[in-house]
Amino acid sequence: MKTNVKKDCGKRLNYLIGHLKGVKKMLDEDRYCIDIIQQNLGVISALQKVNECILKSHFETCVSNAIKFGNRKEREKKLKELTGIFKRSKM
């Protein structure tokens, strides 16, 4: 993974840790259910952005290299990995 992507994703995840702690505090304080759900949706959205950032980097590095320099088996492996990710996500 590129250093700048790793740094950006690390910042985003640190923000998310704080956000989750805030949501937990809301839950502990018996805050309004819809407010908690809205905050959870924000966390989910932010996690999806982290995944998008990582996936973009994966395409630009690992997948690109497999296409340019890898053998057929390596290319098929990368395609299988990507297919699996798309099956498991809503990207």
Side-chain angles (χ1 to χ4, degrees), residues 17 26-27 31 53 55 73-74:
I17 290 167
M26 290 175 72
L27 190 65
R31 298 276 297 272
C53 184
L55 184 61
K73 187 175 180 178
E74 185 65 22

Side-chain angles (χ1 to χ4, degrees), residues 5-6 11 13-16 23 25-26 28 30-31 43 45 48 55 60 62 66 68 76 80 82 84 86:
V5 173
K6 193 174 186 178
K11 286 180 184 178
L13 289 172
N14 285 334
Y15 166 79
L16 276 162
V23 174
K25 183 177 177 185
M26 290 175 72
D28 293 342
D30 291 326
R31 298 276 297 272
V43 169
S45 176
Q48 287 173 330
L55 184 61
E60 292 172 349
C62 302
K68 288 179 185 175
E76 288 175 358
K80 187 175 180 180
L82 293 172
F86 281 106

Side-chain angles (χ1 to χ4, degrees), residues 1-6 52-69 78 82:
M1 184 180 305
K2 295 178 182 178
T3 304
N4 63 326
V5 173
K6 193 174 186 178
E52 288 170 10
C53 184
I54 294 169
L55 184 61
K56 182 179 184 288
S57 176
H58 186 64
F59 272 110
E60 292 172 349
T61 56
C62 302
V63 175
S64 179
N65 286 338
I67 291 169
K68 288 179 185 175
F69 309 112
K78 295 299 179 207
L82 293 172

Side-chain angles (χ1 to χ4, degrees), residues 9-48:
C9 289
K11 286 180 184 178
R12 290 174 185 263
L13 289 172
N14 285 334
Y15 166 79
L16 276 162
I17 290 167
H19 199 158
L20 278 172
K21 287 180 180 179
V23 174
K24 173 72 167 78
K25 183 177 177 185
M26 290 175 72
L27 190 65
D28 293 342
E29 294 173 351
D30 291 326
R31 298 276 297 272
Y32 188 58
C33 299
I34 297 301
D35 292 342
I36 296 170
I37 291 170
Q38 287 176 331
Q39 291 302 312
N40 282 338
L41 291 172
V43 169
I44 292 166
S45 176
L47 275 172
Q48 287 173 330

